[in-house]
Amino acid sequence: MITQEDLAKKLGLTRTTVARALNGSKDIKAETKKRILDLAEKEGYQKNYLGSYLAGKGKKNIYALIVKSLNEEYAIQIKKGLKDIQKELEDFGFKIKILETDIKNIDEQIMSLKNILTKNIDGLIIAPLDKEKIKKILTPYLDKIKIVTIGETIENENLFIESGYYKSGRVAGNILSTLIKKNKKILIFDGGDDRISSKKYLEGFLSQIEFSLLKYKEPIFIENMLENKNKLKEYIDEDIDGIYLNRYAPEIIEYLKSENIINLKIVTNGFNKKIEKMLNNKDIIATVSEDFYEQGYYAGKNLFEILYKPNLKKPQNYTTKINILFKESLVKLGDLK
Amino acid sequence: MITQEDLAKKLGLTRTTVARALNGSKDIKAETKKRILDLAEKEGYQKNYLGSYLAGKGKKNIYALIVKSLNEEYAIQIKKGLKDIQKELEDFGFKIKILETDIKNIDEQIMSLKNILTKNIDGLIIAPLDKEKIKKILTPYLDKIKIVTIGETIENENLFIESGYYKSGRVAGNILSTLIKKNKKILIFDGGDDRISSKKYLEGFLSQIEFSLLKYKEPIFIENMLENKNKLKEYIDEDIDGIYLNRYAPEIIEYLKSENIINLKIVTNGFNKKIEKMLNNKDIIATVSEDFYEQGYYAGKNLFEILYKPNLKKPQNYTTKINILFKESLVKLGDLK
DNA sequence: TTGAAAGCGCTACCAT
DNA sequence: ATGGTAGCGCTTTCAA
């Protein structure tokens, strides 16, 4: 490993000057800087970030602005991931301040962001609700603050963690298709747009479903679903062998059971405690979801690397893993023996 | 953060003495040691491993003894994981020497291990073929060498990464069950024991399958499968709607197609390039497999932590994630837009 | 059995 | 614009 000291010796300079060149100080003659940088390049110098950290003791100011959705599991898992990576890196003084706002309250997120920006901040993790507004607000800070976005890109961030809801929908479509009896149909339920996942799930699902499987040309949409569950029954008949859901699954399934409509093959997108229970009950055959824990963990980990490792070709994009869960997926290996 | 210096001051000692107590040196009076350790405990002292590393420049000698199986993907993925984590930690001088031996050659692994042990080695990652022999060989080294095992435990290692083949088999059973038409049967194929996964996959699968789905009481076993594929045909008739495979899947499916036996629902355990192709061709509906990349990555990462972070409550056990793959799982999100 | 001092690779601050 | 020096938290070597 080649050090700043090594470079200094070869050029007849001191470490201090070399460090200055490497850290982009302007208190240095352009020519000296060039000589140093050229040699560093030639010798394949890589800054040791351990030394940097220890010397700098650089406590970075990092915020994560996450979103509480109808599916509580979403925020819980992301937070868990953030906290785990924080713990792993605590020896670096790596600490993330987590702020949560409500998914339905776009302005709350904007306000929260503006508030954070009044402080001295080095890194930001955000799941933007209103992409355009957030982008506009952040633009002036882009060279000061390292940014990781989750779910939605603002196009100038250092890393965008993509959720792949569309793909999850496709996979769900793939699975449900294989389950349906010949000449039977499926019912597709449109849960509306939650500004995060629902719409994209549905689009992906539809892209996978063959025309012949459709009972209705359009997905079923029921206004104020939770109050109007009884309307669902109108759409169900002998033809139908399966249902796709991505919102209100617990409520809808509960309702169907109460009406004694059973034995339908149900595949969902998303995961939370209720869906887990329904899988266990065999009310649902399979669900397809993103690994939100991993999103939090990966967001934190990468922000750390971007912040602490100066010589890093930064990752541009990352797509979350997609998990397919059947009932048996939930069983812990330890419980089997 | 409390430092050794802090402890020294409070006790009226020097850093050196404190360090000695903390590092378990014997050149120290028992009483002094106790005073230091007690205070450290009380103050919640945690050694900063960055400082340790930088001071010690402790190049550790680490070996990984992995196994080349019939499924080449197994070793490829584990190696990839090992290399990725190595790269991530290279600033710590973390480097793993990877040695591969053949899965069928148990003695080769033993020899390779014995050879390694003649060297000065700090950490070892191993996927033991003969558990008992390996255990016996390693016993005398247990306090000198930190050990991570993959797939099979030797009971005294620092971390055992469990593969969960049994569970994978269960999940495969779960999936195939949901796919089979009423009153139809499945054919279960016994691929024999490869000392890694096959047998466990099959056991798991069987545990999940209801009696009513079985066509034959016992899984079909065909000696020298690859030469005797034609025997398979004897077992297939109108009753059968699905097949379970965990070895020789490509060869068997190729054969069935050549005999014009199609439209059977096939679910497999395991993953490699050939299975990927069959999923894409819809020859297979789903496959259930372990994330071997993760096993390598996690093995390396944890060995690092055990080796470099002295104050660690070490993890005892880790079960690999299990992936269910349908055709659409293979599509890259980027290709969809 | 304890202490003093040097040094790992780097940053930060002061002096020139 | 450049250099000198101290120090981050720790290990290691030598001296007492």
Side-chain angles (χ1 to χ4, degrees):
Chain A
M1 179 188 231
I2 170 153
T3 69
Q4 294 186 0
E5 174 93 60
D6 295 337
L7 296 178
K9 267 188 200 143
K10 295 208 186 198
L11 293 170
L13 295 164
T14 54
R15 293 181 250 119
T16 318
T17 309
V18 171
R20 250 190 291 264
L22 259 15
N23 291 337
S25 159
K26 42 195 151 46
D27 294 340
I28 188 172
K29 208 203 292 180
E31 189 216 314
T32 316
K33 185 169 174 178
K34 187 172 184 321
R35 280 174 58 218
I36 295 172
L37 258 25
D38 285 351
L39 184 66
E41 170 85 48
K42 182 173 152 249
E43 301 278 335
Y45 168 79
Q46 298 260 96
K47 189 183 283 187
N48 182 324
Y49 76 102
L50 302 179
S52 290
Y53 166 71
L54 213 51
K57 272 287 169 201
K59 280 259 188 298
K60 311 270 187 189
N61 231 324
I62 297 163
Y63 284 85
L65 222 55
I66 65 177
V67 147
K68 270 183 295 188
S69 99
L70 192 68
N71 175 3
E72 330 86 54
E73 209 65 13
Y74 173 74
I76 291 174
Q77 291 300 322
I78 288 196
K79 267 194 290 184
K80 218 188 240 174
L82 287 169
K83 283 186 179 152
D84 275 10
I85 187 62
Q86 179 180 300
K87 182 148 193 221
E88 216 170 272
L89 298 171
E90 65 187 353
D91 279 358
F92 287 93
F94 189 67
K95 181 127 210 221
I96 304 169
K97 281 154 214 121
I98 301 177
L99 302 177
E100 292 179 84
T101 66
D102 193 281
I103 190 173
K104 277 169 288 183
N105 196 336
I106 297 179
D107 292 336
E108 191 190 357
Q109 187 179 62
I110 303 276
M111 301 244 299
S112 186
L113 176 59
K114 282 185 177 162
N115 183 32
I116 288 174
L117 290 174
T118 63
K119 297 170 187 154
N120 198 6
I121 145 174
D122 304 288
L124 172 68
I125 295 167
I126 185 169
L129 289 173
D130 187 323
K131 169 182 168 157
E132 291 309 326
K133 275 196 192 155
I134 298 282
K135 185 178 168 182
K136 211 166 159 188
I137 295 174
L138 285 174
T139 302
Y141 298 89
L142 253 27
D143 45 344
K144 280 165 229 145
I145 303 176
K146 305 291 185 187
I147 299 171
V148 171
T149 63
I150 298 180
E152 187 71 78
T153 174
I154 56 161
E155 283 153 29
N156 264 309
E157 70 269 60
N158 297 82
L159 173 71
F160 163 37
I161 297 180
E162 195 164 12
S163 272
Y165 298 116
Y166 181 80
K167 181 176 166 183
S168 287
R170 283 177 69 101
V171 174
N174 185 179
I175 296 173
L176 190 51
S177 299
T178 67
L179 290 168
I180 299 302
K181 289 186 196 131
K182 246 185 194 145
N183 305 322
K184 294 281 185 173
K185 308 288 183 185
I186 60 176
L187 201 61
I188 301 172
F189 177 70
D190 176 356
D193 186 359
D194 65 357
R195 299 191 76 94
I196 291 218
S197 56
S198 286
K199 204 175 152 196
K200 294 174 192 164
Y201 278 148
L202 181 62
E203 284 170 7
F205 186 87
L206 288 172
S207 77
Q208 264 302 292
I209 291 298
E210 284 176 35
F211 186 71
S212 63
L213 276 173
L214 294 174
K215 170 79 183 190
Y216 301 96
K217 266 165 278 172
E218 298 284 319
I220 309 305
F221 179 74
I222 296 177
E223 201 87 41
N224 294 324
M225 176 58 211
L226 293 180
E227 288 110 68
N228 298 317
K229 280 175 282 203
N230 57 325
K231 289 197 182 158
L232 258 172
K233 214 165 72 174
E234 298 166 18
Y235 296 98
I236 294 176
D237 61 24
E238 288 290 301
D239 263 13
I240 292 186
D241 190 30
I243 305 186
Y244 166 73
L245 299 169
N246 72 44
R247 280 177 103 187
Y248 311 122
E251 293 83 0
I252 292 174
I253 288 171
E254 210 44 62
Y255 168 75
L256 292 176
K257 283 167 86 175
S258 75
E259 294 287 321
N260 215 23
I261 301 169
I262 47 176
N263 287 329
L264 290 178
K265 288 153 188 160
I266 300 180
V267 169
T268 64
N269 274 127
F271 188 73
N272 56 40
K273 296 270 175 242
K274 286 176 183 170
I275 291 186
E276 181 175 7
K277 205 167 163 189
M278 292 187 292
L279 264 177
N280 260 325
N281 274 348
K282 300 194 181 182
D283 294 327
I284 291 176
I285 290 190
T287 191
V288 183
S289 74
E290 293 66 41
D291 193 333
F292 294 118
Y293 170 88
E294 198 205 8
Q295 294 197 356
Y297 184 90
Y298 197 81
K301 175 171 174 170
N302 273 274
L303 187 52
F304 170 81
E305 305 221 316
I306 295 165
L307 243 24
Y308 284 74
K309 301 187 181 176
N311 36 271
L312 189 79
K313 1 154 210 1
K314 37 196 130 179
Q316 278 307 325
N317 205 316
Y318 174 80
T319 303
T320 319
K321 279 188 204 123
I322 287 174
N323 295 322
I324 300 173
L325 299 175
F326 280 69
K327 179 175 188 288
E328 280 302 313
S329 309
L330 304 174
V331 179
K332 295 237 165 55
L333 190 57
D335 299 339
L336 294 176
K337 298 180 216 158
Chain B
M1 179 186 229
I2 171 154
T3 69
Q4 295 188 357
E5 174 93 59
D6 296 336
L7 296 177
K9 268 188 202 147
K10 296 208 184 200
L11 293 169
L13 295 164
T14 54
R15 289 180 254 123
T16 318
T17 308
V18 171
R20 251 190 291 262
L22 259 14
N23 292 337
S25 160
K26 42 194 149 46
D27 295 340
I28 186 171
K29 208 203 291 180
E31 189 216 314
T32 316
K33 186 169 174 178
K34 188 172 183 319
R35 280 175 59 218
I36 295 173
L37 259 25
D38 284 352
L39 184 65
E41 170 85 47
K42 183 173 153 247
E43 301 277 333
Y45 169 79
Q46 297 260 95
K47 190 183 281 185
N48 181 325
Y49 76 102
L50 302 178
S52 291
Y53 166 69
L54 213 50
K57 271 289 173 198
K59 279 258 189 298
K60 312 271 187 188
N61 231 326
I62 298 162
Y63 284 84
L65 224 56
I66 65 178
V67 145
K68 269 183 296 190
S69 99
L70 191 69
N71 174 3
E72 329 89 51
E73 210 66 14
Y74 173 74
I76 290 174
Q77 291 300 322
I78 288 197
K79 267 195 291 184
K80 220 188 238 175
L82 286 170
K83 283 187 179 152
D84 275 9
I85 186 63
Q86 179 179 301
K87 181 144 194 225
E88 217 170 272
L89 298 172
E90 64 186 353
D91 279 359
F92 287 92
F94 187 67
K95 181 131 209 211
I96 305 168
K97 281 154 214 125
I98 301 176
L99 302 176
E100 291 178 85
T101 66
D102 193 283
I103 190 172
K104 279 168 287 186
N105 197 335
I106 296 179
D107 292 336
E108 190 190 358
Q109 186 179 64
I110 303 276
M111 301 244 298
S112 187
L113 176 60
K114 282 186 177 160
N115 183 32
I116 288 174
L117 290 174
T118 63
K119 298 171 187 158
N120 197 5
I121 148 176
D122 305 288
L124 172 68
I125 295 167
I126 185 169
L129 289 172
D130 188 323
K131 169 181 167 155
E132 290 309 327
K133 275 195 193 156
I134 298 281
K135 186 178 167 179
K136 212 166 159 187
I137 294 174
L138 284 175
T139 301
Y141 297 89
L142 253 27
D143 45 344
K144 279 165 228 144
I145 303 177
K146 304 291 183 186
I147 299 173
V148 171
T149 62
I150 297 181
E152 188 72 78
T153 175
I154 58 162
E155 283 153 29
N156 264 310
E157 70 269 61
N158 297 80
L159 174 71
F160 163 37
I161 297 180
E162 193 163 13
S163 272
Y165 298 116
Y166 180 80
K167 181 175 168 183
S168 287
R170 282 177 71 100
V171 175
N174 184 179
I175 296 173
L176 190 51
S177 301
T178 65
L179 291 168
I180 299 300
K181 290 187 197 127
K182 246 185 195 145
N183 305 320
K184 295 282 185 169
K185 306 287 183 186
I186 61 176
L187 201 63
I188 300 173
F189 178 70
D190 176 356
D193 187 359
D194 64 357
R195 298 189 77 89
I196 290 217
S197 55
S198 286
K199 205 175 154 199
K200 295 176 192 162
Y201 277 147
L202 181 62
E203 284 169 7
F205 186 87
L206 288 171
S207 77
Q208 261 304 290
I209 291 298
E210 283 175 36
F211 186 71
S212 62
L213 276 173
L214 294 175
K215 170 80 183 190
Y216 301 95
K217 265 165 280 173
E218 296 285 318
I220 309 306
F221 179 74
I222 297 176
E223 200 87 41
N224 295 324
M225 177 60 213
L226 293 180
E227 288 110 66
N228 298 316
K229 280 175 285 204
N230 57 326
K231 287 197 183 157
L232 257 173
K233 215 165 70 174
E234 298 167 18
Y235 296 98
I236 294 177
D237 61 25
E238 289 292 300
D239 262 11
I240 291 188
D241 189 32
I243 306 185
Y244 167 72
L245 300 168
N246 73 45
R247 277 178 104 186
Y248 309 125
E251 293 83 359
I252 292 174
I253 288 172
E254 210 45 62
Y255 168 75
L256 293 176
K257 282 167 87 175
S258 76
E259 294 286 323
N260 216 24
I261 301 171
I262 47 177
N263 287 331
L264 290 178
K265 287 153 189 160
I266 301 180
V267 169
T268 64
N269 273 127
F271 188 74
N272 58 37
K273 295 268 175 243
K274 285 176 183 170
I275 291 186
E276 181 175 5
K277 206 167 163 187
M278 292 187 293
L279 264 177
N280 259 325
N281 275 347
K282 301 192 179 181
D283 294 328
I284 292 175
I285 289 189
T287 191
V288 183
S289 74
E290 292 67 41
D291 193 334
F292 295 119
Y293 170 87
E294 198 204 7
Q295 295 197 354
Y297 184 89
Y298 198 81
K301 175 172 174 170
N302 274 274
L303 187 52
F304 170 80
E305 305 221 317
I306 296 164
L307 243 24
Y308 284 75
K309 301 186 181 177
N311 37 273
L312 191 76
K313 349 137 228 4
K314 36 196 130 176
Q316 279 306 328
N317 203 316
Y318 174 79
T319 304
T320 318
K321 281 192 201 117
I322 287 175
N323 295 322
I324 301 173
L325 299 176
F326 280 69
K327 179 175 188 288
E328 281 301 312
S329 310
L330 304 174
V331 178
K332 294 236 168 55
L333 190 60
D335 300 340
L336 294 177
K337 301 185 213 155

